[in-house]
């Protein structure tokens, strides 16, 4: 039986976890844009690619 700790150490688990974190950050972008925060500040504070933030900003208009 694979223990949970062993599962958490696998590459697949780590990649899925990181992907989920990234998706969560991207979901916050529209709300932050609506609050008047700049694209650059959002990218910097969320530690995500500025191009991804720009794409989302363009979709909002």
């Amino acid at each position: 039986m694979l223990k949970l700790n062993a599962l958490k150490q696998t590459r697949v688990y780590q990649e899925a976890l990181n992907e989920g974190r990234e998706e969560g950050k991207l979901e916050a972008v529209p709300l932050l844009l609506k609050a008047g925060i700049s694209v650059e500040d959002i990218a910097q504070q969320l530690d995500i690619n500025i191009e991804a933030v720009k794409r989302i900003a363009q979709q909002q208009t």
Side-chain angles (χ1 to χ4, degrees):
M1 184 171 150
L2 186 63
K3 293 186 178 184
L4 184 57
N5 287 337
L7 175 64
K8 288 182 178 182
Q9 300 303 317
T10 65
R11 181 180 52 85
V12 173
Y13 178 87
Q14 292 298 318
E15 287 176 3
L17 183 62
N18 288 334
E19 185 176 310
R21 286 181 180 146
E22 184 76 14
E23 284 181 27
K25 290 177 181 182
L26 293 175
E27 288 176 6
V29 170
L31 295 173
L32 296 170
L33 289 167
K34 189 175 180 179
I37 300 172
S38 73
V39 169
E40 293 81 10
D41 285 343
I42 293 171
Q44 182 179 21
Q45 293 301 315
L46 295 179
D47 192 29
I48 56 177
N49 186 305
I50 193 167
E51 294 304 318
V53 178
K54 287 180 180 179
R55 278 192 301 273
I56 294 170
Q58 289 175 347
Q59 292 173 354
Q60 299 298 308
T61 57

